[in-house]
């Protein structure tokens, strides 16, 4: 089961979100992300958070029509998104897609991206924004890119260094390369041939790629 979590960020293009949804998705709203879900004509299966970003009347209406409400106290040690991810995993999700996770407060946007890097997540989590996707590649892993030929790809180190970075199918190749934290060496590459892959030896790497979202995701 894929869980889609709507986050309370700023959405510039609702149609881009709609194209990413599948009929079989389990829809979860992290507090104010409920509005993004409803704007697409979809109803979340669950709303998770302290609900301080939602009108109580809307919460009551969602509860009335059968939406599960997992309410948390305002004085909490985790963001609504982190709580929503934990909820999705408890529900048996095998993959998670985050929508509406960027924009608005800079601290929240950065926290949402860095949340992907937590080693404890047992399933893949992807953050989507417009025609771009961000995902984590960890020690010993290899990812096959979804970006089409000509699509932009960037990588950033999220640990002190990431070693053993090896590209296949990208215009500017790397082979067993070490990328230190803060380096821009991995920014703005391009898919030259498919399949294109990125492999990591040690460390945590953030991969951002431009995907072809022209066709709706119906898998």
């Amino acid at each position: 089961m894929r869980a889609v979590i709507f986050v309370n960020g700023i959405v510039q293009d609702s149609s881009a979100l709609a194209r990413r949804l599948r009929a079989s998705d389990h829809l979860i709203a992290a507090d104010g992300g409920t509005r993004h879900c409803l704007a697409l004509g979809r109803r979340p299966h669950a709303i998770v958070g302290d609900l301080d970003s939602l009108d109580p009347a809307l919460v009551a209406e969602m509860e009335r029509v059968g939406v599960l409400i997992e309410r948390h106290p305002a004085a909490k040690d985790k963001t609504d998104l982190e709580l929503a991810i934990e909820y999705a995993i408890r529900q048996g999700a095998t993959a998670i897609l985050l929508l509406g996770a960027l924009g608005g407060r800079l601290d929240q946007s950065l926290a949402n991206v860095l949340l992907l890097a937590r080693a404890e997540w047992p399933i893949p989590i992807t953050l989507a924004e417009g025609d771009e996707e961000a995902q984590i590649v960890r020690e010993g892993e290899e990812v096959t890119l979804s970006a089409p030929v000509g699509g932009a790809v960037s990588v950033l180190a999220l640990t002190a260094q990431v070693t053993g970075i090896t590209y296949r199918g990208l215009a500017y190749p790397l082979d067993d390369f070490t990328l230190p934290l803060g380096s821009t060496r991995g920014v703005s590459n391009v898919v030259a041939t498919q399949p294109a892959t990125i492999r990591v030896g040690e460390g945590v790497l953030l991969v951002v790629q431009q995907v072809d979202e022209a066709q709706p995701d119906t898998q």
Side-chain angles (χ1 to χ4, degrees), residues 4-7 21 25-48 51 54 58-59 61-63 65-69 87:
V4 175
I5 300 178
F6 291 87
V7 193
L21 296 181
D25 286 332
H26 188 72
L27 306 181
I28 302 168
D31 201 339
T34 303
R35 289 188 292 269
H36 297 321
C37 184
L38 295 175
L40 300 180
R42 303 286 293 270
R43 182 186 299 162
H45 296 95
I47 301 173
V48 179
L51 310 186
L54 292 176
L58 177 58
V59 176
E61 173 61 16
M62 291 293 97
E63 195 166 22
V65 297
V67 175
L68 184 145
I69 308 294
Y87 172 83

Side-chain angles (χ1 to χ4, degrees), residues 77-87 89-90 96 98 110-125 135-139 141 158-159 203-206:
D77 296 328
K78 300 176 181 178
T79 64
D80 295 323
L81 173 56
E82 187 170 0
L83 293 169
I85 291 174
E86 291 176 347
Y87 172 83
I89 292 172
R90 291 198 307 272
I96 295 175
L98 308 182
L110 291 173
N112 292 344
V113 173
L114 293 176
L115 192 57
L116 302 181
R118 269 189 40 181
E120 294 88 346
W121 301 131
I123 60 175
I125 302 175
Q135 65 189 111
I136 294 296
V137 184
R138 302 182 189 279
E139 179 174 335
E141 293 181 346
L158 293 185
T159 47
V204 178
L205 192 70
L206 179 70

Side-chain angles (χ1 to χ4, degrees), residues 2 20 22 97-99 116 125-136 144-147 152-154 206-213 217:
R2 187 179 78 161
R20 293 184 177 275
R22 306 171 186 167
L97 175 66
L98 308 182
L99 300 178
L116 302 181
I125 302 175
T126 301
L127 186 157
E129 177 74 10
D131 65 349
E132 293 183 301
E133 292 183 355
Q135 65 189 111
I136 294 296
T144 299
L145 300 177
S146 302
V153 179
S154 293
L206 179 70
V207 177
V208 181
Q209 57 179 315
Q210 184 180 35
V211 299
D212 184 0
E213 55 157 6
D217 189 348

